[in-house]
Amino acid sequence: MDIKAAIQSATLPDHIAIIMDGNGRWAKEKGESRIVGHYEGVVSVRDIVEGCGELGIKYLTLYAFSTENWNRPKAEVDALMELMVSTIRLEAEQLKKNNVRLRLIGNMNDLPETCQKEMQEGMDITAGCTGLTLILALSYSAKWEIIEAAKRIAREVATGTLKEEDINDAYFSQCLTTADFPDPELLIRTSGEHRISNFLLYQIAYSELYFTDVPWPAFRKQELYEAILNYQQRERRFGMTSEQLNADEK
């Protein structure tokens, strides 16, 4: 069966978010160091970005490095930072060629200066692209993001620039780092774990969750197509009944 051919273009998710898990375990199973898994994971990133672009997906968010990841062994963290810097340095022009716009979310101030510089240059190079928007979550924590939004709102209320009755879902969403992007319709996690790991907690309130045992370094376009096809076979009710949805479609 040609899974890609079975995907319906009319019901594609606009935004897919992925928790890229399993690099270290994949490498360990092959008798390699964890960083080898991270390097192979970059190959998967290239393939999935290409696949999303070919399908017409508008937004792809990748959970690249969480705030909790800073607690990993220093050698691994240093290697990851170096890998991210070198990858963006090498890939920025290719992203531009493929009309992919790069954006970042997370606490950028925690990143090394060289990493911040390369990331900013990557965003500047691709700023005019109008195809897929690739969003990297770096030094990201959903709890941190929500707390920062709450602090901002508290300051605005305290200074009188915001009234309490004006605080709603739409306003709160605009205070998050994802304010420029729609919420993801599909969240994928690789490598068999069934948890969210502090990722986009506010934004995935109605996302469809898809878990696969395939580790990220082995996750390619075929696995992406399977996830999207699974998504398209679900009924998204948003609190309504199937009867209501069917009535609305008539």
Side-chain angles (χ1 to χ4, degrees):
M1 175 184 176
D2 186 349
I3 296 179
K4 185 179 181 181
I7 293 175
Q8 301 174 24
S9 59
T11 55
L12 281 170
D14 284 337
H15 187 172
I16 296 175
I18 304 179
I19 301 174
M20 304 181 294
D21 192 25
N23 290 348
R25 290 189 295 277
W26 177 88
K28 185 177 180 180
E29 289 176 359
K30 295 184 176 300
E32 302 284 357
S33 66
R34 292 177 59 86
I35 194 60
V36 171
H38 295 308
Y39 273 92
E40 189 63 27
V42 172
V43 180
S44 291
V45 170
R46 292 193 191 105
D47 200 58
I48 298 308
V49 169
E50 184 178 291
C52 284
E54 291 171 350
L55 288 173
I57 303 297
K58 296 177 181 178
Y59 300 90
L60 172 65
T61 298
L62 301 178
Y63 201 8
F65 193 86
S66 72
T67 54
E68 290 81 8
N69 288 153
W70 291 112
N71 297 320
R72 290 189 175 185
K74 185 177 184 301
E76 181 177 353
V77 171
D78 290 346
L80 277 170
M81 291 297 113
E82 182 180 339
L83 175 59
M84 283 190 280
V85 167
S86 61
T87 298
I88 294 300
R89 185 177 295 153
L90 292 170
E91 299 291 335
E93 289 296 339
Q94 187 63 38
L95 290 175
K96 181 180 179 180
K97 182 179 178 181
N98 293 333
N99 200 26
V100 177
R101 180 178 60 152
L102 177 67
R103 296 289 300 273
L104 303 179
I105 59 173
N107 190 354
M108 296 301 109
N109 293 329
D110 284 348
L111 298 174
E113 288 187 10
T114 53
C115 189
Q116 293 184 43
K117 179 177 179 292
E118 290 298 331
M119 295 300 169
Q120 186 59 57
E121 288 185 3
M123 288 191 288
D124 292 342
I125 290 170
T126 62
C129 296
T130 58
L132 172 70
T133 295
L134 171 62
I135 306 154
L136 297 183
L138 294 175
S139 193
Y140 175 86
S141 155
K143 289 184 177 181
W144 163 82
E145 178 183 40
I146 291 169
I147 290 170
E148 290 300 306
K151 288 179 180 178
R152 169 181 164 179
I153 290 173
R155 288 193 298 268
E156 292 176 349
V157 171
T159 57
T161 58
L162 178 67
K163 296 180 180 178
E164 182 180 344
E165 55 267 27
D166 293 331
I167 303 171
N168 53 29
D169 175 49
Y171 190 83
F172 194 89
S173 294
Q174 287 302 305
C175 296
L176 299 172
T177 61
T178 54
D180 295 336
F181 322 120
D183 292 341
E185 293 99 335
L186 173 61
L187 172 68
I188 300 169
R189 179 164 188 154
T190 62
S191 200
E193 302 292 354
H194 293 73
R195 55 178 177 269
I196 304 304
S197 296
N198 202 6
F199 184 49
L200 300 177
L201 297 179
Y202 194 87
Q203 296 88 337
I204 62 169
Y206 277 102
S207 299
E208 296 296 324
L209 308 183
Y210 179 86
F211 300 101
T212 174
D213 290 334
V214 178
W216 179 248
F219 193 90
R220 295 292 195 268
K221 290 180 185 178
Q222 186 73 6
E223 285 73 30
L224 173 69
Y225 301 153
E226 290 175 0
I228 293 174
L229 190 58
N230 181 279
Y231 162 86
Q232 292 186 329
Q233 293 169 347
R234 303 184 189 186
E235 183 180 64
R236 308 191 73 216
R237 297 194 298 271
F238 299 97
M240 295 187 290
T241 65
S242 296
E243 290 75 16
Q244 286 176 300
L245 288 176
N246 293 331
D248 290 340
E249 293 174 356
K250 293 179 180 178

